[in-house]
Amino acid sequence: MHVDVGTVVLSYLVLALLLAIVGMAHPDVRAKMHDQFEWTHRFAGWTATALVWAHLVVASNSLKPRTQSLADALARTPAVYLLALITFSIALPWLRLRRVTVKPEYLSQHAVRLHFDFETPIAGKAIRITDKPMREWHAFATIDKPGQKGFSIVVSNAGDWTRKTIDGQPQRLWTRGALASGVLTIAPLFKKVVLVATGSGIGPCLPVILEGRVPARVLWSTPHPRETFGDEIMNSVLQADPKAIIWNTRTQGKPDLTALAYQLLKESDAEAVCIISNKKVTQQVVYRLEARGIPAFGAIFDS
């Protein structure tokens, strides 16, 4: 059996790219170099897929009998069909890449609400948007109003891109693929839930609150909630849960979210707690509640 130099070289190139992807996916590296992680994952992944195709062709050509054509050898190789399926799966979200119209609603210097009308999702869905499709993508929970077309998202200041979006008030943005399911799609599994949110985490909670399908108690901790997120969001929360705990961290300091969530759970006989916050707070609250035997759910890092 003869394996030519081209096959060996392509093998090492693919291995190098895969090691780079694995290295950038390490939690510590990914958290500190998120944009670089995305670029490596996307472009190195695409390049590795192309190189695997080349490797398959070169290897098949070097290993086939002299009397057999390359086309016949490839047709008889199961890896060709598996690789074709992988390639199609990678390309599928990009086949639905489209630029959609946006209606921005300025809430404050800290937040903007973006309205879309190209689709009406069910509660708990999430969308990925960007102004530069090849560079970065950002996921946001959709907020749909029962009986109304379209949906909206809340973008709060959490970095360069969100700051640019708040200041720029975009009229058009890119999206791709189908809307994904967020963590709060599990809400209908329970008879009653406690929703815990910090800052713009109230956005993913609003579809459950507005739909009213699942009774929910609300605990929302954020700086100056009405001034930051506007009357409509504030009133929607209070209309759904008049006894909601809305904690202004600027005037009341930082709350003990675990204790407050536990209090709401016991008062309302809720079956579970769902929290939308940053990684540290989410892990802390979920761990402390689960240690008490309470079902608690939070979004995973970078979800």
Side-chain angles (χ1 to χ4, degrees):
M1 180 183 295
H2 171 69
V3 179
D4 61 12
V5 176
T7 303
V8 176
V9 171
L10 288 169
S11 297
Y12 279 108
L13 288 175
V14 171
L15 178 61
L17 289 171
L18 294 179
L19 289 175
I21 292 173
V22 171
M24 291 300 294
H26 188 279
D28 292 338
V29 178
R30 180 174 176 176
K32 295 177 181 178
M33 306 174 65
H34 182 73
D35 289 343
Q36 290 76 7
F37 157 75
E38 280 201 18
W39 302 337
T40 303
H41 186 82
R42 181 174 301 119
F43 297 115
W46 291 350
T47 304
T49 304
L51 290 177
V52 171
W53 273 110
H55 180 279
L56 186 61
V57 173
V58 172
S60 297
N61 188 57
S62 66
L63 297 174
K64 70 178 180 62
R66 292 184 178 181
T67 57
Q68 187 181 32
S69 68
L70 176 59
D72 184 53
L74 289 172
R76 294 173 181 270
T77 304
V80 169
Y81 305 102
L82 292 174
L83 189 54
L85 179 61
I86 292 171
T87 304
F88 176 74
S89 299
I90 294 172
L92 184 59
W94 294 91
L95 296 176
R96 298 191 62 186
L97 178 68
R98 56 203 186 277
R99 201 177 184 203
V100 296
T101 302
V102 182
K103 182 181 177 182
E105 177 188 351
Y106 185 80
L107 300 177
S108 67
Q109 292 183 349
H110 182 76
V112 65
R113 191 171 182 178
L114 304 179
H115 296 265
F116 303 84
D117 62 4
F118 69 92
E119 189 171 340
T120 303
I122 63 173
K125 290 293 184 177
I127 184 176
R128 289 186 175 272
I129 58 172
T130 186
D131 56 344
K132 296 177 180 178
M134 291 296 110
R135 287 181 58 86
E136 58 185 340
W137 288 87
H138 303 270
F140 296 92
T142 62
I143 305 169
D144 60 294
K145 289 186 176 182
Q148 293 188 16
K149 180 183 178 182
F151 64 93
S152 64
I153 64 174
V154 174
V155 179
S156 64
N157 185 21
D160 294 341
W161 189 87
T162 52
R163 179 75 267 165
K164 180 177 65 174
T165 302
I166 294 169
D167 294 339
Q169 304 286 294
Q171 304 294 319
R172 304 268 286 179
L173 286 171
W174 292 92
T175 183
R176 64 179 170 88
L179 297 180
S181 295
V183 65
L184 291 184
T185 53
I186 67 169
L189 295 175
F190 305 97
K191 295 179 180 179
K192 183 179 289 186
V193 296
V194 173
L195 301 176
V196 181
T198 62
S200 60
I202 194 64
C205 298
L206 282 175
V208 178
I209 295 171
L210 295 174
E211 186 182 37
R213 178 181 173 187
V214 180
R217 294 300 312 276
V218 181
L219 168 57
W220 181 23
S221 170
T222 186
H224 302 308
R226 190 176 294 275
E227 292 84 349
T228 302
F229 295 97
D231 291 336
E232 183 179 350
I233 291 178
M234 187 76 168
N235 294 338
S236 296
V237 173
L238 292 174
Q239 183 177 359
D241 181 9
K243 296 182 179 180
I245 298 178
I246 302 178
W247 193 282
N248 187 337
T249 56
R250 286 292 183 266
T251 59
Q252 298 174 272
K254 290 187 177 181
D256 185 338
L257 293 176
T258 305
L260 291 173
Y262 184 77
Q263 174 188 328
L264 287 180
L265 184 93
K266 292 303 180 182
E267 288 178 356
S268 62
D269 290 325
E271 295 181 327
V273 174
C274 299
I275 177 170
I276 307 294
S277 184
N278 58 54
K279 179 182 178 182
K280 180 180 179 180
V281 172
T282 297
Q283 290 180 337
Q284 186 180 76
V285 172
V286 168
Y287 174 79
R288 290 177 176 177
L289 289 172
E290 287 185 337
R292 300 183 184 188
I294 298 169
F297 306 90
I300 60 173
F301 169 62
D302 199 30
S303 63

PDB file of all heavy atoms in Angstrom, residues 151-174:
ATOM      1  N   PHE A 151     -41.561  40.542  16.355  1.00  0.00           N
ATOM      2  CA  PHE A 151     -40.997  40.404  17.691  1.00  0.00           C
ATOM      3  C   PHE A 151     -39.981  41.514  17.895  1.00  0.00           C
ATOM      4  O   PHE A 151     -39.686  42.292  16.980  1.00  0.00           O
ATOM      5  CB  PHE A 151     -40.321  39.034  17.850  1.00  0.00           C
ATOM      6  CG  PHE A 151     -39.136  38.827  16.943  1.00  0.00           C
ATOM      7  CD1 PHE A 151     -37.848  39.130  17.370  1.00  0.00           C
ATOM      8  CD2 PHE A 151     -39.305  38.327  15.657  1.00  0.00           C
ATOM      9  CE1 PHE A 151     -36.754  38.950  16.539  1.00  0.00           C
ATOM     10  CE2 PHE A 151     -38.219  38.143  14.812  1.00  0.00           C
ATOM     11  CZ  PHE A 151     -36.947  38.445  15.256  1.00  0.00           C
ATOM     12  N   SER A 152     -39.445  41.581  19.103  1.00  0.00           N
ATOM     13  CA  SER A 152     -38.414  42.572  19.404  1.00  0.00           C
ATOM     14  C   SER A 152     -37.344  41.938  20.270  1.00  0.00           C
ATOM     15  O   SER A 152     -37.518  40.825  20.791  1.00  0.00           O
ATOM     16  CB  SER A 152     -39.026  43.782  20.116  1.00  0.00           C
ATOM     17  OG  SER A 152     -39.559  43.403  21.374  1.00  0.00           O
ATOM     18  N   ILE A 153     -36.225  42.632  20.423  1.00  0.00           N
ATOM     19  CA  ILE A 153     -35.166  42.214  21.330  1.00  0.00           C
ATOM     20  C   ILE A 153     -34.693  43.444  22.092  1.00  0.00           C
ATOM     21  O   ILE A 153     -34.858  44.579  21.621  1.00  0.00           O
ATOM     22  CB  ILE A 153     -33.973  41.564  20.594  1.00  0.00           C
ATOM     23  CG1 ILE A 153     -33.295  42.583  19.663  1.00  0.00           C
ATOM     24  CG2 ILE A 153     -34.408  40.336  19.828  1.00  0.00           C
ATOM     25  CD1 ILE A 153     -32.024  42.069  19.014  1.00  0.00           C
ATOM     26  N   VAL A 154     -34.121  43.225  23.261  1.00  0.00           N
ATOM     27  CA  VAL A 154     -33.556  44.318  24.050  1.00  0.00           C
ATOM     28  C   VAL A 154     -32.043  44.178  24.051  1.00  0.00           C
ATOM     29  O   VAL A 154     -31.510  43.122  24.422  1.00  0.00           O
ATOM     30  CB  VAL A 154     -34.081  44.307  25.491  1.00  0.00           C
ATOM     31  CG1 VAL A 154     -33.363  45.370  26.327  1.00  0.00           C
ATOM     32  CG2 VAL A 154     -35.586  44.556  25.511  1.00  0.00           C
ATOM     33  N   VAL A 155     -31.358  45.222  23.602  1.00  0.00           N
ATOM     34  CA  VAL A 155     -29.893  45.246  23.576  1.00  0.00           C
ATOM     35  C   VAL A 155     -29.424  46.240  24.627  1.00  0.00           C
ATOM     36  O   VAL A 155     -29.744  47.428  24.554  1.00  0.00           O
ATOM     37  CB  VAL A 155     -29.363  45.661  22.186  1.00  0.00           C
ATOM     38  CG1 VAL A 155     -27.837  45.706  22.190  1.00  0.00           C
ATOM     39  CG2 VAL A 155     -29.874  44.714  21.108  1.00  0.00           C
ATOM     40  N   SER A 156     -28.687  45.745  25.618  1.00  0.00           N
ATOM     41  CA  SER A 156     -28.152  46.639  26.649  1.00  0.00           C
ATOM     42  C   SER A 156     -26.641  46.736  26.511  1.00  0.00           C
ATOM     43  O   SER A 156     -25.992  45.874  25.903  1.00  0.00           O
ATOM     44  CB  SER A 156     -28.522  46.143  28.048  1.00  0.00           C
ATOM     45  OG  SER A 156     -27.919  44.893  28.297  1.00  0.00           O
ATOM     46  N   ASN A 157     -26.079  47.776  27.060  1.00  0.00           N
ATOM     47  CA  ASN A 157     -24.654  48.048  26.906  1.00  0.00           C
ATOM     48  C   ASN A 157     -23.818  47.016  27.651  1.00  0.00           C
ATOM     49  O   ASN A 157     -23.809  46.976  28.880  1.00  0.00           O
ATOM     50  CB  ASN A 157     -24.345  49.451  27.439  1.00  0.00           C
ATOM     51  CG  ASN A 157     -22.899  49.838  27.202  1.00  0.00           C
ATOM     52  OD1 ASN A 157     -22.223  49.291  26.338  1.00  0.00           O
ATOM     53  ND2 ASN A 157     -22.418  50.793  27.975  1.00  0.00           N
ATOM     54  N   ALA A 158     -23.129  46.159  26.880  1.00  0.00           N
ATOM     55  CA  ALA A 158     -22.291  45.123  27.489  1.00  0.00           C
ATOM     56  C   ALA A 158     -20.969  44.968  26.756  1.00  0.00           C
ATOM     57  O   ALA A 158     -20.248  44.003  26.970  1.00  0.00           O
ATOM     58  CB  ALA A 158     -23.032  43.789  27.498  1.00  0.00           C
ATOM     59  N   GLY A 159     -20.642  45.925  25.875  1.00  0.00           N
ATOM     60  CA  GLY A 159     -19.401  45.823  25.108  1.00  0.00           C
ATOM     61  C   GLY A 159     -19.415  46.750  23.910  1.00  0.00           C
ATOM     62  O   GLY A 159     -20.342  47.551  23.726  1.00  0.00           O
ATOM     63  N   ASP A 160     -18.399  46.625  23.070  1.00  0.00           N
ATOM     64  CA  ASP A 160     -18.241  47.532  21.927  1.00  0.00           C
ATOM     65  C   ASP A 160     -19.413  47.434  20.955  1.00  0.00           C
ATOM     66  O   ASP A 160     -19.945  48.450  20.503  1.00  0.00           O
ATOM     67  CB  ASP A 160     -16.925  47.231  21.187  1.00  0.00           C
ATOM     68  CG  ASP A 160     -15.703  47.548  22.039  1.00  0.00           C
ATOM     69  OD1 ASP A 160     -15.852  48.312  23.012  1.00  0.00           O
ATOM     70  OD2 ASP A 160     -14.617  47.020  21.732  1.00  0.00           O
ATOM     71  N   TRP A 161     -19.819  46.193  20.629  1.00  0.00           N
ATOM     72  CA  TRP A 161     -20.870  46.038  19.626  1.00  0.00           C
ATOM     73  C   TRP A 161     -22.208  46.556  20.135  1.00  0.00           C
ATOM     74  O   TRP A 161     -22.939  47.239  19.409  1.00  0.00           O
ATOM     75  CB  TRP A 161     -20.999  44.569  19.214  1.00  0.00           C
ATOM     76  CG  TRP A 161     -21.896  44.371  18.035  1.00  0.00           C
ATOM     77  CD1 TRP A 161     -21.553  44.434  16.713  1.00  0.00           C
ATOM     78  CD2 TRP A 161     -23.318  44.134  18.055  1.00  0.00           C
ATOM     79  NE1 TRP A 161     -22.655  44.231  15.917  1.00  0.00           N
ATOM     80  CE2 TRP A 161     -23.756  44.040  16.711  1.00  0.00           C
ATOM     81  CE3 TRP A 161     -24.252  43.976  19.076  1.00  0.00           C
ATOM     82  CZ2 TRP A 161     -25.073  43.801  16.370  1.00  0.00           C
ATOM     83  CZ3 TRP A 161     -25.573  43.739  18.734  1.00  0.00           C
ATOM     84  CH2 TRP A 161     -25.978  43.654  17.398  1.00  0.00           C
ATOM     85  N   THR A 162     -22.542  46.221  21.360  1.00  0.00           N
ATOM     86  CA  THR A 162     -23.820  46.694  21.909  1.00  0.00           C
ATOM     87  C   THR A 162     -23.828  48.213  22.064  1.00  0.00           C
ATOM     88  O   THR A 162     -24.841  48.862  21.829  1.00  0.00           O
ATOM     89  CB  THR A 162     -24.111  46.023  23.260  1.00  0.00           C
ATOM     90  OG1 THR A 162     -22.972  46.193  24.124  1.00  0.00           O
ATOM     91  CG2 THR A 162     -24.374  44.537  23.089  1.00  0.00           C
ATOM     92  N   ARG A 163     -22.690  48.785  22.458  1.00  0.00           N
ATOM     93  CA  ARG A 163     -22.594  50.239  22.569  1.00  0.00           C
ATOM     94  C   ARG A 163     -22.806  50.896  21.208  1.00  0.00           C
ATOM     95  O   ARG A 163     -23.530  51.891  21.089  1.00  0.00           O
ATOM     96  CB  ARG A 163     -21.216  50.609  23.131  1.00  0.00           C
ATOM     97  CG  ARG A 163     -20.928  52.104  23.285  1.00  0.00           C
ATOM     98  CD  ARG A 163     -21.660  52.665  24.480  1.00  0.00           C
ATOM     99  NE  ARG A 163     -22.979  53.220  24.141  1.00  0.00           N
ATOM    100  CZ  ARG A 163     -23.896  53.505  25.025  1.00  0.00           C
ATOM    101  NH1 ARG A 163     -23.696  53.264  26.304  1.00  0.00           N
ATOM    102  NH2 ARG A 163     -25.058  54.013  24.657  1.00  0.00           N
ATOM    103  N   LYS A 164     -22.208  50.319  20.173  1.00  0.00           N
ATOM    104  CA  LYS A 164     -22.354  50.844  18.814  1.00  0.00           C
ATOM    105  C   LYS A 164     -23.801  50.724  18.339  1.00  0.00           C
ATOM    106  O   LYS A 164     -24.323  51.625  17.674  1.00  0.00           O
ATOM    107  CB  LYS A 164     -21.429  50.073  17.867  1.00  0.00           C
ATOM    108  CG  LYS A 164     -21.496  50.522  16.415  1.00  0.00           C
ATOM    109  CD  LYS A 164     -20.497  49.756  15.556  1.00  0.00           C
ATOM    110  CE  LYS A 164     -20.831  48.287  15.477  1.00  0.00           C
ATOM    111  NZ  LYS A 164     -19.944  47.547  14.537  1.00  0.00           N
ATOM    112  N   THR A 165     -24.461  49.640  18.715  1.00  0.00           N
ATOM    113  CA  THR A 165     -25.858  49.439  18.305  1.00  0.00           C
ATOM    114  C   THR A 165     -26.779  50.430  18.995  1.00  0.00           C
ATOM    115  O   THR A 165     -27.694  50.991  18.360  1.00  0.00           O
ATOM    116  CB  THR A 165     -26.289  47.997  18.628  1.00  0.00           C
ATOM    117  OG1 THR A 165     -25.419  47.078  17.955  1.00  0.00           O
ATOM    118  CG2 THR A 165     -27.720  47.752  18.181  1.00  0.00           C
ATOM    119  N   ILE A 166     -26.555  50.667  20.279  1.00  0.00           N
ATOM    120  CA  ILE A 166     -27.375  51.630  21.015  1.00  0.00           C
ATOM    121  C   ILE A 166     -27.211  53.030  20.441  1.00  0.00           C
ATOM    122  O   ILE A 166     -28.185  53.764  20.232  1.00  0.00           O
ATOM    123  CB  ILE A 166     -27.012  51.607  22.516  1.00  0.00           C
ATOM    124  CG1 ILE A 166     -27.393  50.258  23.127  1.00  0.00           C
ATOM    125  CG2 ILE A 166     -27.726  52.741  23.258  1.00  0.00           C
ATOM    126  CD1 ILE A 166     -26.833  50.042  24.525  1.00  0.00           C
ATOM    127  N   ASP A 167     -25.973  53.414  20.164  1.00  0.00           N
ATOM    128  CA  ASP A 167     -25.699  54.763  19.637  1.00  0.00           C
ATOM    129  C   ASP A 167     -26.106  54.903  18.171  1.00  0.00           C
ATOM    130  O   ASP A 167     -26.576  55.954  17.744  1.00  0.00           O
ATOM    131  CB  ASP A 167     -24.212  55.091  19.789  1.00  0.00           C
ATOM    132  CG  ASP A 167     -23.787  55.203  21.243  1.00  0.00           C
ATOM    133  OD1 ASP A 167     -24.671  55.431  22.092  1.00  0.00           O
ATOM    134  OD2 ASP A 167     -22.580  55.059  21.522  1.00  0.00           O
ATOM    135  N   GLY A 168     -25.925  53.820  17.390  1.00  0.00           N
ATOM    136  CA  GLY A 168     -26.137  53.914  15.943  1.00  0.00           C
ATOM    137  C   GLY A 168     -27.571  53.753  15.491  1.00  0.00           C
ATOM    138  O   GLY A 168     -27.923  54.136  14.381  1.00  0.00           O
ATOM    139  N   GLN A 169     -28.438  53.128  16.316  1.00  0.00           N
ATOM    140  CA  GLN A 169     -29.838  52.920  15.940  1.00  0.00           C
ATOM    141  C   GLN A 169     -29.954  52.297  14.531  1.00  0.00           C
ATOM    142  O   GLN A 169     -30.448  52.911  13.589  1.00  0.00           O
ATOM    143  CB  GLN A 169     -30.592  54.247  15.964  1.00  0.00           C
ATOM    144  CG  GLN A 169     -30.535  54.992  17.295  1.00  0.00           C
ATOM    145  CD  GLN A 169     -31.415  54.337  18.338  1.00  0.00           C
ATOM    146  OE1 GLN A 169     -32.621  54.307  18.221  1.00  0.00           O
ATOM    147  NE2 GLN A 169     -30.794  53.790  19.371  1.00  0.00           N
ATOM    148  N   PRO A 170     -29.470  51.073  14.323  1.00  0.00           N
ATOM    149  CA  PRO A 170     -29.430  50.478  12.979  1.00  0.00           C
ATOM    150  C   PRO A 170     -30.820  50.303  12.372  1.00  0.00           C
ATOM    151  O   PRO A 170     -31.784  50.004  13.070  1.00  0.00           O
ATOM    152  CB  PRO A 170     -28.762  49.118  13.229  1.00  0.00           C
ATOM    153  CG  PRO A 170     -29.068  48.804  14.654  1.00  0.00           C
ATOM    154  CD  PRO A 170     -29.039  50.127  15.368  1.00  0.00           C
ATOM    155  N   GLN A 171     -30.894  50.484  11.048  1.00  0.00           N
ATOM    156  CA  GLN A 171     -32.137  50.287  10.308  1.00  0.00           C
ATOM    157  C   GLN A 171     -32.185  48.925   9.616  1.00  0.00           C
ATOM    158  O   GLN A 171     -33.254  48.453   9.247  1.00  0.00           O
ATOM    159  CB  GLN A 171     -32.285  51.391   9.248  1.00  0.00           C
ATOM    160  CG  GLN A 171     -32.228  52.807   9.806  1.00  0.00           C
ATOM    161  CD  GLN A 171     -33.400  53.131  10.708  1.00  0.00           C
ATOM    162  OE1 GLN A 171     -34.531  52.753  10.414  1.00  0.00           O
ATOM    163  NE2 GLN A 171     -33.134  53.818  11.815  1.00  0.00           N
ATOM    164  N   ARG A 172     -31.003  48.321   9.444  1.00  0.00           N
ATOM    165  CA  ARG A 172     -30.915  47.006   8.796  1.00  0.00           C
ATOM    166  C   ARG A 172     -29.839  46.186   9.505  1.00  0.00           C
ATOM    167  O   ARG A 172     -28.787  46.706   9.877  1.00  0.00           O
ATOM    168  CB  ARG A 172     -30.537  47.147   7.315  1.00  0.00           C
ATOM    169  CG  ARG A 172     -31.463  48.030   6.501  1.00  0.00           C
ATOM    170  CD  ARG A 172     -32.558  47.250   5.847  1.00  0.00           C
ATOM    171  NE  ARG A 172     -32.086  46.473   4.715  1.00  0.00           N
ATOM    172  CZ  ARG A 172     -32.863  45.676   3.974  1.00  0.00           C
ATOM    173  NH1 ARG A 172     -34.141  45.558   4.280  1.00  0.00           N
ATOM    174  NH2 ARG A 172     -32.388  45.005   2.960  1.00  0.00           N
ATOM    175  N   LEU A 173     -30.106  44.884   9.692  1.00  0.00           N
ATOM    176  CA  LEU A 173     -29.135  43.980  10.297  1.00  0.00           C
ATOM    177  C   LEU A 173     -29.213  42.621   9.599  1.00  0.00           C
ATOM    178  O   LEU A 173     -30.220  42.285   8.959  1.00  0.00           O
ATOM    179  CB  LEU A 173     -29.401  43.810  11.798  1.00  0.00           C
ATOM    180  CG  LEU A 173     -29.025  44.979  12.708  1.00  0.00           C
ATOM    181  CD1 LEU A 173     -29.551  44.736  14.129  1.00  0.00           C
ATOM    182  CD2 LEU A 173     -27.521  45.208  12.743  1.00  0.00           C
ATOM    183  N   TRP A 174     -28.143  41.850   9.747  1.00  0.00           N
ATOM    184  CA  TRP A 174     -28.100  40.512   9.164  1.00  0.00           C
ATOM    185  C   TRP A 174     -28.544  39.468  10.189  1.00  0.00           C
ATOM    186  O   TRP A 174     -28.263  39.591  11.383  1.00  0.00           O
ATOM    187  CB  TRP A 174     -26.689  40.176   8.710  1.00  0.00           C
ATOM    188  CG  TRP A 174     -26.193  40.983   7.545  1.00  0.00           C
ATOM    189  CD1 TRP A 174     -25.484  42.148   7.596  1.00  0.00           C
ATOM    190  CD2 TRP A 174     -26.364  40.688   6.156  1.00  0.00           C
ATOM    191  NE1 TRP A 174     -25.215  42.605   6.330  1.00  0.00           N
ATOM    192  CE2 TRP A 174     -25.735  41.713   5.422  1.00  0.00           C
ATOM    193  CE3 TRP A 174     -26.983  39.643   5.462  1.00  0.00           C
ATOM    194  CZ2 TRP A 174     -25.706  41.735   4.036  1.00  0.00           C
ATOM    195  CZ3 TRP A 174     -26.960  39.661   4.078  1.00  0.00           C
ATOM    196  CH2 TRP A 174     -26.334  40.695   3.377  1.00  0.00           C
TER     197      TRP A 174
END
